[in-house]
């Protein structure tokens, strides 16, 4: 099919690129970061959708800057010269991956998906026809990533860019058509989205995308497009309809973002759960790595949903509005628990060993002791939650096998009006790490996120003595052998507990670490803790060690590495 001529059709100049090679991608990523950095404040100023929090320009810039740094890393890699020099596929994939890892906000998350959609096509070819296909794929994949797409947004601008160049052509021609299509669509956004019309501004995310495509056009043609006219400040009449978020406002109170390692099927279930919790849901990525963005009132529930789907990390939570301050406590008034009232917040932790339970109780936790062969049931955990007598409770099961019982107890407590966050800690050392960063004075969601991050950053190991001959992942063990379990799997079989502990520590510290936690039971050999502390101090100069005594009823040694 022949395409209709356009006003900007022209013969290709000698200084224009016909192929988007790796160096061109590098230049494009640099110009994109530079353009968004230059326009950041102007884009922030017109940010009224989906939330008027004035950070769309900043989020786009930070995302683009991360993408550029990822491209530069490819070029700076050892041996990245000659026959091993980066090609287009290397560069565009790095650009997309860097954006995915560091995507910020609603707009940055969508931009990362646009780049990912383009990368898949440009890795196969980098001429004008491939660029046209890449833009079409980018627009459709970005729209699919948004739970409830709206017209008059960055999605509309992306679709217009793809439509403008759908018939292909030379690389410069496709880049021009895409840019012009996006710019025309941007000007029409106030008539498509009521909140933009009321504020008298174009869509902030869409304006950012026009800057991205303008950087691409300049890279391909060597000529920068004409600058967009300055955008007026949003009309005051729009403020009341766009800035009321959080407690007492019109929208969710928190923006939650995290990277997630998960399978496709789990992500589909996660989308449904998060969609029911809030709005502005965007889930981008693939191949086991995703970037999740959502606006919710219950940030803890959004993080917990991610934990159930896979492994969330790089968790970021932003308040759209501050929660109302608690009523002041009079100096002559008894504390809440002394008056029989509910405390504000409590932590309930399951712990092996009397000494460890006592230690955590001193730190303010309500403890449940797990005795050998007698794991607590769901009723025991629910009783502990009730005993904590708090409006908000963080539950630390500290054992993989207790996850189902803990989840049941949490649900039953919620039905009684208690706000419960279950952090699925798998070992006591993870619970200790979580409790160490617990701050009851900050918001519940922030506290849960900090505790979840601390637990997730702690690798764990356990030393135990085999009771019988059995097959393990490290080979056959005999009764009386010392087993070194790392993350729940037998990794080392030894004859001496101290020697085996040193081997386990070395294996764990090969992956790095800043703090080693040793939890020693009464059944451990005398001097074990001192021997291991010396071993760490001599072999790992930057690693600190802390030791706790578990008393009776715990495994001989628990190890945590943060």
């Amino acid at each position: 099919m022949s395409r209709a001529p356009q006003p900007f059709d022209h013969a290709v100049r000698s200084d224009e690129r016909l192929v988007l090679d790796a160096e061109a991608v590098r230049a494009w990523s640099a110009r994109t970061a530079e353009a968004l950095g230059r326009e950041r404040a102007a884009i922030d100023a017109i940010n009224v959708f989906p939330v008027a929090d004035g950070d769309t320009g900043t989020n786009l810039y930070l995302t683009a800057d991360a993408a550029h740094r990822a491209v530069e890393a490819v070029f700076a890699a050892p041996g990245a010269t000659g026959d091993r020099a980066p090609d287009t596929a290397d560069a565009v994939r790095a650009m997309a991956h860097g954006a995915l890892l560091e995507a910020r906000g609603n707009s940055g998350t969508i931009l990362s998906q646009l780049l990912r959609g383009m990368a898949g096509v440009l890795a196969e070819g980098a001429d004008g026809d491939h660029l046209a296909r890449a833009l079409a794929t980018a627009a459709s994949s970005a729209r699919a990533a948004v739970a409830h797409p709206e017209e008059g947004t960055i999605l509309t601008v992306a679709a217009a860019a793809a439509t403008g160049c759908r018939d292909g052509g030379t690389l410069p021609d496709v880049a021009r058509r895409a840019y012009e299509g996006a710019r025309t669509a941007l000007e029409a956004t106030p008539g498509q989205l009521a909140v933009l019309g009321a504020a008298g501004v174009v869509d902030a995310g869409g304006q950012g995308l026009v800057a991205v495509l303008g950087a691409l056009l300049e890279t391909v043609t060597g000529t920068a497009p004409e600058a967009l006219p300055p955008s007026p400040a949003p009309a005051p009449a729009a403020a009341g309809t766009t800035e009321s978020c959080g407690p007492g406002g019109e929208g969710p109170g928190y923006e939650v973002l995290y990277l997630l390692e998960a399978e496709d099927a789990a992500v589909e279930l996660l989308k449904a759960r998060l969609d029911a919790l809030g709005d502005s849901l965007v889930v981008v990525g693939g191949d086991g790595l995703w970037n999740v963005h959502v606006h919710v009132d219950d940030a803890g529930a959004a993080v917990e949903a991610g934990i159930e789907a896979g492994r969330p990390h790089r968790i970021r939570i932003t308040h759209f509005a501050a929660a109302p301050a608690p009523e002041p406590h009079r100096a002559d008034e008894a504390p809440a628990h002394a008056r029989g009232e509910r405390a504000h917040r409590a932590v309930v932790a399951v712990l092996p060993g009397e000494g460890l339970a006592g230690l955590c109780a001193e730190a303010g936790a309500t403890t449940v002791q797990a005795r050998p062969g007698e794991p607590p049931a769901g009723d025991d955990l629910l009783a502990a939650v009730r005993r904590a007598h708090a409006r908000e409770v963080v539950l630390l099961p500290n054992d993989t096998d207790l996850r189902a019982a803990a989840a049941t107890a949490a649900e039953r407590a919620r039905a009684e009006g208690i706000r419960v966050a279950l952090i699925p800690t798998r070992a006591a050392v993870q619970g200790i790490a979580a409790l160490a960063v617990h701050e009851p004075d900050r918001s519940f969601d922030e506290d849960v996120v900090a505790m979840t991050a601390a637990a997730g950053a702690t690798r764990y190991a356990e030393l135990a003595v085999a009771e019988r001959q059995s097959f393990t992942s490290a080979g056959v063990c005999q009764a009386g052998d010392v087993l070194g379990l790392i993350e729940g799997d037998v990794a080392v079989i030894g004859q001496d507990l101290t020697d085996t502990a040193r081997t386990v520590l070395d294996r764990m510290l090969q992956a790095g670490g800043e703090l080693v936690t040793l939890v020693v039971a009464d059944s451990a050999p005398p001097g074990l803790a001192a021997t291991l502390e010396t071993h760490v101090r001599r072999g790992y100069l930057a690693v600190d060690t802390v030791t706790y005594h578990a008393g009776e009823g715990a495994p001989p040694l628990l190890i945590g590495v943060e």
Side-chain angles (χ1 to χ4, degrees), residues 204-261:
Q207 182 160 322
L209 180 57
V210 169
V212 174
L213 294 173
L216 176 61
L217 179 59
E218 182 177 359
T219 299
V220 169
T221 66
T223 303
E226 183 182 348
L228 293 174
S231 299
T241 60
T242 60
E243 295 184 352
S244 299
C245 298
E250 296 181 356
Y254 301 93
E255 177 185 60
V256 179
L257 299 99
Y258 49 80
L259 285 178
L260 177 70
E261 296 175 20

Side-chain angles (χ1 to χ4, degrees), residues 68-110:
H68 174 55
R69 284 187 279 109
V71 175
E72 287 297 325
V74 169
F75 279 87
T81 57
D83 294 339
R84 298 181 60 187
D87 57 15
T88 299
D90 295 327
V92 295
R93 285 171 178 155
M95 189 175 181
H97 190 66
L100 175 68
L101 292 180
E102 299 291 342
R104 303 296 183 96
N106 187 291
S107 53
T109 307
I110 293 174

Side-chain angles (χ1 to χ4, degrees), residues 158-558:
T163 300
C165 63
R166 62 186 172 189
D167 293 327
T170 66
L171 188 66
D173 194 26
V174 169
R176 284 190 185 88
R177 293 176 186 278
Y179 176 77
E180 293 295 339
R183 184 162 175 166
T184 300
L186 176 66
E187 294 170 355
T189 55
Q192 296 174 296
L193 198 57
V195 66
L196 300 179
V201 297
V202 297
D203 179 63
Q207 182 160 322
L209 180 57
V210 169
V212 174
L213 294 173
L216 176 61
L217 179 59
E218 182 177 359
T219 299
V220 169
T221 66
T223 303
E226 183 182 348
L228 293 174
S231 299
T241 60
T242 60
E243 295 184 352
S244 299
C245 298
E250 296 181 356
Y254 301 93
E255 177 185 60
V256 179
L257 299 99
Y258 49 80
L259 285 178
L260 177 70
E261 296 175 20
E263 299 297 327
D264 291 6
V267 170
E268 290 305 313
L269 293 174
L270 173 67
K271 289 179 182 177
R273 182 168 179 184
L274 292 179
D275 194 27
L277 285 174
D279 58 33
S280 296
L281 173 62
V282 184
V283 180
V284 303
D287 301 321
L289 181 64
W290 310 83
N291 196 306
V292 179
H293 169 280
V294 68
H295 294 172
V296 293
D297 277 325
D298 191 343
V303 175
E304 188 174 325
I307 293 171
E308 293 185 3
R311 177 177 173 264
H313 49 108
R314 298 196 189 184
I315 301 168
R316 293 192 294 268
I317 293 181
T318 302
H319 288 262
F320 289 132
E327 293 186 12
H329 170 70
R330 296 199 312 270
D332 60 348
E333 187 177 37
H337 64 83
R339 302 194 307 270
E341 299 174 6
R342 285 190 182 276
H344 176 56
R345 186 176 310 149
V347 176
V348 173
V350 180
L351 297 159
E354 296 174 356
L356 202 56
L359 173 73
C360 291
E362 289 177 8
T366 297
T367 63
V368 180
Q369 189 170 347
R371 304 181 185 280
E374 300 179 21
D379 287 344
D380 298 322
L381 299 179
L382 178 60
V385 171
R386 290 169 174 162
R387 191 168 69 250
H389 204 59
R391 293 187 294 273
E392 301 170 344
V393 173
V394 180
L395 180 57
L396 307 173
N398 297 335
D399 189 331
T400 303
D401 293 337
L402 288 179
R403 182 168 177 174
T408 300
E411 287 299 326
R412 291 172 64 185
R414 288 171 187 141
E416 297 177 6
I418 304 171
R419 189 180 185 188
V420 181
L422 168 61
I423 299 178
T425 45
R426 296 172 289 172
V429 287
Q430 289 187 326
I432 293 171
L435 190 57
V437 300
H438 167 56
E439 292 185 14
D441 291 334
R442 63 185 164 196
S443 77
F444 185 65
D445 299 299
E446 288 181 327
D447 202 27
V448 170
V449 169
M451 295 176 74
T452 301
T458 303
R459 286 167 284 135
Y460 63 93
E462 173 184 335
L463 269 72
V465 178
E467 297 180 355
R468 64 183 68 86
Q469 182 188 59
S470 60
F471 295 91
T472 75
S473 53
V476 179
C477 71
Q478 306 296 329
D481 283 350
V482 178
L483 306 180
L485 294 88
I486 299 178
E487 303 283 328
D489 292 325
V490 177
V492 180
I493 299 175
Q495 304 301 315
D496 178 78
L497 195 141
T498 302
D499 290 342
T500 305
R502 277 195 288 253
T503 302
V504 169
L505 262 175
D506 288 338
R507 290 199 181 184
M508 296 182 75
L509 288 171
Q510 283 177 354
E514 297 177 356
L515 175 66
V516 170
T517 299
L518 304 173
V519 180
V520 185
D522 286 351
S523 59
L528 174 64
T531 299
L532 296 179
E533 287 176 359
T534 300
H535 179 72
V536 173
R537 187 165 57 250
R538 288 177 176 173
Y540 307 92
L541 299 179
V543 179
D544 293 326
T545 307
V546 61
T547 299
Y548 300 111
H549 294 280
E552 296 182 357
L557 178 67
L558 300 174

